[in-house]
Amino acid sequence: MSKFISKRFDTLEAYVPGEQPQDMQYVKLNTNESPFPPAPAVLEAVNAAEINHLNLYPDPEGKVLRETLAKHYGVKLENVFLANGSDELLNFFFMTFCDEEKPVAFPAVSYGFYPVYANLYRLPYDAIPLREDFRLEPEDYCGIGKNVVIANPNAPTGRIISVDEIEKIVKSNPNHVVMIDEAYIDFGGESCLPLVEKYENLLVCQTFSKFRSLAGGRLGFAIGSPALIEDLDKIKYSTNSYNINRLTMAAAVATIENDEYYVNNSRIIQANRAYTVEELGKLGFETLPSKANFIFTRCKTVDGGTIYRELKAKGVLVRHWDKPEIADWCRVTIGSREQMDVLLEKVREILKEVG
């Protein structure tokens, strides 16, 4: 750290992204990417429409993409906001709606960017502990009198709460914004998007990184009331007007137009998830119920840090945190059946060597 950095950031702990090592070829099950490439039509759309126009700025409004998303989800253009990945959308949420008078609450075990943004902007916040078995209790957020951010399904646990439970939270906090982060909703969960028409304080966040196989394209979007979207636009145009590039927007439109390809991929991932949970259970692992493209699992005889390190040494990457409450657990992305069989093979080797 240089002597020139603002003192505001002296003690800031930055978000640590999942490993992207280049030292060897890994079976990569640590960052919840899709094992499937984009649909062929997506690649064709990028090559056909935009390669020759990279000398020109993209549409700052992203009108064609927003119209496509609005039609797909049954809302209006003014209900849709685009961001450079859902991380940028979260950043805009914390900047736009949270301050000393409007603090924010989120689960203590959840996506690691929530406390980072709260600390970055020096916001008062409440990290609410999960209940037994890492269960999120909706009543903990009802009438809390703060802005609320909830990942549903939660990460890294994979657990989900119902639309009815979300509605209770939104309804009980009419003077604060409730953001539901649905990054993993398309792997067996039920979206709360239909509630947007009913509640002016609900903002639903989704991403193209997981279900839609565009993690490298960096695209997230929010759907909410026109007033909330206008607020977000004000902050966007005050920071980066051209936040979505031409290639990403062309790819995203083609992605929505080829939705069945991704729905079929999701079915495969859900089947692979069930298979992996069953096989790990035979090896003595405990796994939480998941509606995401990952599972949260632990071995009853070998600690999580050892499982993570030994898997990495054998060419398989999973995610592990040293936080005491989850240190025994590893988060495992669900990939292809072949990738999951490699994981299971290496786990069996580790149990023979270490267990």
Side-chain angles (χ1 to χ4, degrees):
M1 185 180 300
S2 79
K3 65 181 181 182
F4 304 107
I5 190 170
S6 169
K7 291 188 181 299
R8 291 176 297 163
F9 306 129
D10 276 350
T11 60
L12 180 66
E13 293 186 19
Y15 174 73
V16 179
E19 295 173 275
Q20 306 287 343
Q22 308 296 319
D23 59 316
M24 62 181 283
Q25 188 70 37
Y26 289 94
V27 175
K28 200 166 177 298
L29 304 176
N30 66 324
T31 50
N32 301 338
E33 297 142 318
S34 173
F36 304 107
V42 172
L43 304 179
E44 294 172 8
V46 171
N47 289 327
E50 299 299 336
I51 290 294
N52 293 327
H53 297 94
L54 288 179
N55 57 310
L56 303 176
Y57 284 111
D59 174 15
E61 295 184 9
K63 186 175 180 181
V64 173
L65 175 54
R66 288 171 62 214
E67 287 175 339
T68 302
L69 284 166
K71 180 179 179 181
H72 183 74
Y73 288 106
V75 297
K76 297 179 180 179
L77 178 71
E78 54 264 34
N79 294 117
V80 182
F81 177 81
L82 304 177
N84 192 281
S86 58
D87 289 340
E88 184 183 54
L89 177 53
L90 291 168
N91 184 31
F92 286 151
F93 169 85
F94 279 85
M95 290 176 66
T96 306
F97 302 112
C98 306
D99 56 32
E100 290 79 4
E101 296 179 357
K102 290 195 173 182
V104 62
F106 44 77
V109 176
S110 193
Y111 185 34
F113 243 134
Y114 302 159
V116 170
Y117 283 134
N119 287 320
L120 178 66
Y121 297 117
R122 296 187 168 187
L123 302 170
Y125 67 90
D126 188 3
I128 299 176
L130 297 178
R131 300 293 186 94
E132 187 179 0
D133 294 330
F134 300 104
R135 182 176 56 85
L136 187 149
E137 175 51 63
E139 290 297 328
D140 291 340
Y141 300 85
C142 288
I144 197 171
K146 300 175 182 178
N147 293 320
V148 173
V149 184
I150 292 175
N152 196 48
N154 194 19
T157 67
R159 283 189 175 278
I160 197 165
I161 60 175
S162 70
V163 173
D164 287 343
E165 290 170 321
I166 290 171
E167 183 169 15
K168 289 179 182 177
I169 296 171
V170 176
K171 187 177 181 179
S172 69
N173 292 288
N175 297 318
H176 294 82
V177 180
V178 176
M179 172 180 272
I180 304 299
D181 183 352
E182 293 189 339
Y184 303 101
I185 200 66
D186 293 296
F187 298 102
E190 181 183 1
S191 174
C192 68
L193 276 171
L195 297 178
V196 166
E197 186 175 354
K198 190 174 179 181
Y199 296 99
E200 66 177 359
N201 63 321
L202 173 62
L203 196 63
V204 182
C205 167
Q206 292 195 12
T207 178
F208 276 68
S209 294
K210 321 298 183 184
F211 169 72
R212 296 180 177 88
S213 300
L214 277 182
R218 310 309 303 132
L219 180 65
F221 65 96
I223 294 179
S225 66
L228 290 183
I229 301 305
E230 185 178 349
D231 293 341
L232 290 169
D233 273 331
K234 183 175 184 178
I235 300 302
K236 186 196 87 165
Y237 284 111
S238 301
T239 54
N240 182 9
S241 301
Y242 303 106
N243 64 331
I244 313 297
N245 70 71
R246 283 179 169 273
L247 302 184
T248 292
M249 284 196 280
V253 170
T255 294
I256 296 298
E257 292 172 347
N258 289 269
D259 194 56
E260 188 57 31
Y261 170 84
Y262 299 95
V263 171
N264 287 332
N265 288 345
S266 176
R267 294 191 186 107
I268 295 171
I269 288 173
Q270 291 177 61
N272 291 347
R273 183 178 67 204
Y275 165 75
T276 304
V277 170
E278 181 179 1
E279 293 301 312
L280 285 174
K282 295 175 183 177
L283 299 174
F285 278 71
E286 175 189 0
T287 303
L288 297 182
S290 173
K291 290 293 185 180
N293 69 334
F294 60 82
I295 56 174
F296 204 46
T297 189
R298 68 175 174 180
C299 179
K300 297 177 182 178
T301 58
V302 183
D303 68 271
T306 298
I307 292 289
Y308 156 74
R309 288 187 295 271
E310 293 297 321
L311 280 173
K312 184 176 180 179
K314 294 177 180 294
V316 178
L317 287 178
V318 298
R319 195 80 193 266
H320 177 260
W321 292 267
D322 290 325
K323 294 176 65 174
E325 60 266 49
I326 58 173
D328 283 343
W329 300 75
C330 290
R331 190 193 68 191
V332 181
T333 302
I334 302 301
S336 66
R337 180 62 64 91
E338 293 75 19
Q339 288 176 315
M340 305 323 292
D341 281 335
V342 172
L343 167 77
L344 293 166
E345 176 189 349
K346 301 306 179 184
V347 166
R348 294 186 187 101
E349 292 178 7
I350 292 168
L351 294 181
K352 287 180 181 179
E353 297 166 359
V354 180

